[in-house]
Amino acid sequence: MTHQPHHLHDSGYKFLFSHADLVRELLEVFAPPGLTELLDYSTLRPLDWKPRSL
């Protein structure tokens, strides 16, 4: 059985946050100045993501 996204945007967020390089770029562009220098991107690990029930 194929998983249907809980919401329309769930699949896009799942894709984005399953790629560490995209997460890093997102943070470098949108996080407050100086924050990204404090982060250790080597600690990023994929999680077993499941949509929340409403």
Side-chain angles (χ1 to χ4, degrees):
M1 185 165 122
T2 304
H3 171 72
Q4 295 297 319
H6 188 69
H7 292 285
L8 177 63
H9 304 293
D10 284 352
S11 60
Y13 283 111
K14 183 176 182 179
F15 175 82
L16 172 67
F17 289 106
S18 65
H19 292 82
D21 55 330
L22 294 177
V23 171
R24 181 180 188 145
E25 186 174 344
L26 179 75
L27 289 170
E28 288 174 349
V29 171
F30 292 104
L35 178 69
T36 58
E37 289 79 22
L38 302 174
L39 302 176
D40 180 2
Y41 294 103
S42 69
T43 64
L44 293 177
R45 300 287 181 262
L47 299 175
D48 185 21
W49 179 85
K50 301 274 190 280
R52 294 184 322 167
S53 299
L54 294 178

